Amino acid sequence: MNSYAQSEFSKKFKPIAPLNPTVAPKKVTPAATTDAPVIKAPDLFKKPEETLPSFSKYQIGQAKSFSMEQTNDYVNPGDRIMEKMTKDLDKTLVREGLKEDDRFLVKIDKNFGEIRTKSKYFTVFYRDYIYIDGDLIKATINGQMIGGIMELYSSYGQFVFNLKEGFNTFEMEAYSKGTSGGNTCEFKIYDDKGVLVRSELWDNWDKGVKGKFVIVKE
């Protein structure tokens, strides 16, 4: 069979040699080794006036021994202002009679004076007129307890006692201190006809302090 083919690639054509792709590497001289710089991070748990000692190249803060003792390392500047405002408010409340204060406890018995009457008995209404904090009172007539130990509330409680001819000694005692300060009590005394005979109060009494009346039944 006969065949035909192109004849361009005869012996008279010489192939072009490929370029040499190899690139000679450049000689790089490594730099001299140096120590890494010292890094000191600030310690947020230290007081401002303290500086970080250099114990190592890389450190955060300084080791501190454990202690149960309370310190003021984390004082909030606003706490000082709040503390002063609280003290000023407390003083105002105490001065206006709206709060009790142990610093001004009354520790001396008080004599409320003499009452003259023809009444057969007296009725006493009593209450805590400031803050309900568990104040207790005890009342006696001629040394005999009346009605047991009585707790003071915002509403009036009451008790009744009879009078003998002549002199009667009536006492009311601050039997306890409340949780917010001294004992505070307001009381009103009425005769057997419902007439108000005496209205009194005590403020910030210590436990055991007594108020005394001499009642003369004519």
Side-chain angles (χ1 to χ4, degrees):
M1 294 180 64
N2 294 328
S3 63
Y4 299 89
Q6 294 179 337
S7 59
E8 290 86 352
F9 304 105
S10 61
K11 293 182 178 181
K12 65 179 180 180
F13 294 100
K14 293 182 178 181
I16 300 173
L19 298 176
N20 185 5
T22 304
V23 179
K26 294 182 179 180
K27 186 177 181 180
V28 179
T29 302
T33 59
T34 59
D35 293 337
V38 176
I39 299 176
K40 294 182 180 180
D43 187 356
L44 301 180
F45 298 97
K46 285 293 181 182
K47 297 180 180 178
E49 65 270 13
E50 295 183 1
T51 58
L52 293 173
S54 178
F55 290 115
S56 64
K57 294 181 179 180
Y58 301 95
Q59 69 177 45
I60 299 179
Q62 177 181 355
K64 185 177 181 180
S65 60
F66 176 77
S67 174
M68 294 294 291
E69 182 180 356
Q70 185 176 1
T71 64
N72 294 324
D73 290 349
Y74 311 101
V75 174
N76 184 352
D79 291 344
R80 296 181 179 177
I81 300 175
M82 182 63 68
E83 182 179 357
K84 183 178 184 304
M85 292 176 62
T86 301
K87 288 182 179 179
D88 291 343
L89 178 59
D90 287 344
K91 290 180 181 179
T92 301
L93 293 176
V94 172
R95 184 172 60 251
E96 298 297 327
L98 300 176
K99 184 177 180 180
E100 303 160 14
D101 193 332
D102 280 342
R103 294 176 297 175
F104 307 108
L105 283 175
V106 176
K107 298 179 177 291
I108 301 175
D109 293 346
K110 180 174 181 179
N111 191 338
F112 286 106
E114 183 181 285
I115 300 175
R116 291 185 171 270
T117 183
K118 295 181 179 180
S119 179
K120 295 180 180 179
Y121 61 86
F122 276 167
T123 302
V124 179
F125 291 83
Y126 60 92
R127 70 177 183 126
D128 192 330
Y129 66 97
I130 293 184
Y131 185 75
I132 311 307
D133 58 344
D135 289 344
L136 302 174
I137 64 171
K138 182 177 76 172
T140 61
I141 180 70
N142 299 321
Q144 300 295 318
M145 185 183 297
I146 307 169
I149 306 303
M150 295 164 279
E151 187 170 359
L152 304 180
Y153 299 98
S154 58
S155 58
Y156 284 101
Q158 71 179 69
F159 58 87
V160 179
F161 60 90
N162 295 318
L163 297 171
K164 67 178 184 178
E165 296 293 332
F167 289 89
N168 297 267
T169 301
F170 172 57
E171 291 182 330
M172 292 181 65
E173 176 184 342
Y175 195 73
S176 73
K177 291 194 305 180
T179 57
S180 66
N183 196 303
T184 52
C185 177
E186 176 187 10
F187 54 96
K188 298 179 180 181
I189 303 174
Y190 292 84
D191 65 12
D192 57 4
K193 295 181 174 56
V195 177
L196 179 63
V197 176
R198 184 73 65 87
S199 178
E200 296 286 354
L201 57 82
W202 67 62
D203 182 17
N204 215 32
W205 281 17
D206 197 3
K207 178 180 178 180
V209 177
K210 299 178 181 179
K212 177 181 177 180
F213 291 91
V214 175
I215 304 172
V216 182
K217 182 178 178 184
E218 299 175 332

